[in-house]
Amino acid sequence: MSMEKNKQEQVNCSIFGRKKKQYKDKYLAKHNAVFDQLDLVTYEEVVKLPYPAFQRKTLVLLGAHGVGRRHIKNTIISKHPDKYAYPIPHTTRLPRSDEEDGRNYYFVSHDEMMADIAANEYLEYGTHEEAMYGTKLETIRKIHEEGRMAILDVEPQALKVLRTAEFAPYVVFIAAPVFQNVADLDGSLERLAKESDMLKQAYGHYFDLTIVNNDLDETIAQLEGAIERVHTTPQWVPVSWVY
């Protein structure tokens, strides 16, 4: 038995979003322009596979900026370091005195990072305070090789790369909480709610699960339960992941 889904969208590529300073290098601009032309499939057939014939390898957390994805990710990893890990980012900035290469970051030269970007070896990349940062695909593969599930809090356009049999993502949308009788003095709560709604409208057809983050502890408990079910029950996956 199979099901079909309609899928369309337009996105750009930046790990820091609109509020961060954009990198002006002509090679980055060229790479992004090419990347944006790679649309996700618009018509997709799926098939149900029994456990353990198929296993999800990557947990992808999507959500508005400030909705709490990083805290959720860090909490789950700290509770279950033998089961989950976050890929260590690469950066072109110099290491600080207390930093060791390969622990919190991999430190590389600008030329090396640009060459790897040109070779499509990065899932996401961007700039912050004149330095480049990015998530290299090999760091995700390393987590899988260790028998752990990679957890990513990425921008939606990363699905263009991740939605393959190799990364086998389980996509969870962390929706903005519902605020009632709460003073929104600077408008931040309204912005959070609007961005969350926009993401849901644009990418909702890619979500495997949606959790409204009204309470962090409850959200984490729901997510842990969902992942447990994913690892023990049959899964609907794109036919292209199987054949």
Side-chain angles (χ1 to χ4, degrees):
M1 180 178 179
S2 66
M3 298 176 60
E4 294 163 353
K5 298 180 181 179
N6 249 347
K7 307 190 173 184
Q8 291 182 346
E9 60 201 276
Q10 285 183 315
V11 290
N12 56 18
C13 182
S14 168
I15 62 172
F16 294 103
R18 297 183 302 275
K19 296 180 181 179
K20 301 294 185 180
K21 184 185 297 183
Q22 298 301 306
Y23 191 74
K24 300 302 183 181
D25 191 289
K26 62 180 179 180
Y27 297 106
L28 261 181
K30 179 180 179 182
H31 178 84
N32 285 351
V34 172
F35 192 88
D36 290 343
Q37 295 171 11
L38 303 177
D39 291 330
L40 285 160
V41 292
T42 57
Y43 182 82
E44 188 173 71
E45 186 177 4
V46 296
V47 62
K48 193 174 187 178
L49 294 182
Y51 172 84
F54 178 85
Q55 286 287 298
R56 302 276 185 165
K57 300 177 184 177
T58 309
L59 174 61
V60 179
L61 301 179
L62 300 182
H65 295 94
V67 78
R69 288 181 299 160
R70 179 178 297 180
H71 179 80
I72 293 168
K73 175 197 70 181
N74 290 339
T75 299
I76 289 179
I77 292 174
S78 65
K79 289 176 65 177
H80 311 283
D82 58 326
K83 295 181 179 180
Y84 309 103
Y86 181 76
I88 298 172
H90 284 64
T91 181
T92 60
R93 74 165 172 80
L94 295 175
R96 301 187 178 99
S97 58
D98 60 341
E99 292 180 326
E100 179 182 340
D101 185 61
R103 177 172 292 179
N104 298 109
Y105 294 97
Y106 290 109
F107 298 96
V108 296
S109 69
H110 178 273
D111 289 345
E112 181 181 351
M113 188 161 181
M114 290 304 304
D116 288 341
I117 288 172
N120 296 320
E121 294 183 13
Y122 275 84
L123 173 64
E124 288 186 321
Y125 58 88
T127 59
H128 178 59
E129 296 181 352
E130 307 302 325
M132 296 183 66
Y133 294 80
T135 300
K136 207 169 181 181
L137 292 171
E138 68 177 24
T139 60
I140 304 174
R141 295 184 181 111
K142 182 179 179 181
I143 293 172
H144 294 162
E145 291 169 359
E146 294 169 348
R148 294 186 288 177
M149 192 176 199
I151 301 184
L152 306 175
D153 52 337
V154 294
E155 301 299 321
Q157 65 270 17
L159 293 176
K160 291 181 177 181
V161 178
L162 293 172
R163 293 191 82 255
T164 65
E166 179 183 16
F167 298 107
Y170 183 69
V171 181
V172 178
F173 180 62
I174 307 299
V178 179
F179 294 101
Q180 294 181 340
N181 302 319
V182 177
D184 186 15
L185 300 179
D186 61 356
S188 59
L189 300 182
E190 181 181 3
R191 288 192 295 272
L192 181 66
K194 285 184 176 180
E195 182 182 351
S196 185
D197 288 342
M198 290 174 62
L199 286 171
K200 186 174 182 179
Q201 291 177 20
Y203 303 101
H205 45 293
Y206 294 114
F207 303 162
D208 292 300
L209 174 69
T210 295
I211 300 177
V212 179
N213 190 24
N214 288 318
D215 178 85
L216 275 172
D217 291 337
E218 182 179 337
T219 295
I220 291 168
Q222 288 185 51
L223 186 55
E224 289 176 325
I227 298 172
E228 179 63 26
R229 290 191 295 274
V230 163
H231 287 157
T232 56
T233 59
Q235 294 291 301
W236 286 101
V237 300
V239 170
S240 61
W241 293 10
V242 184
Y243 304 107

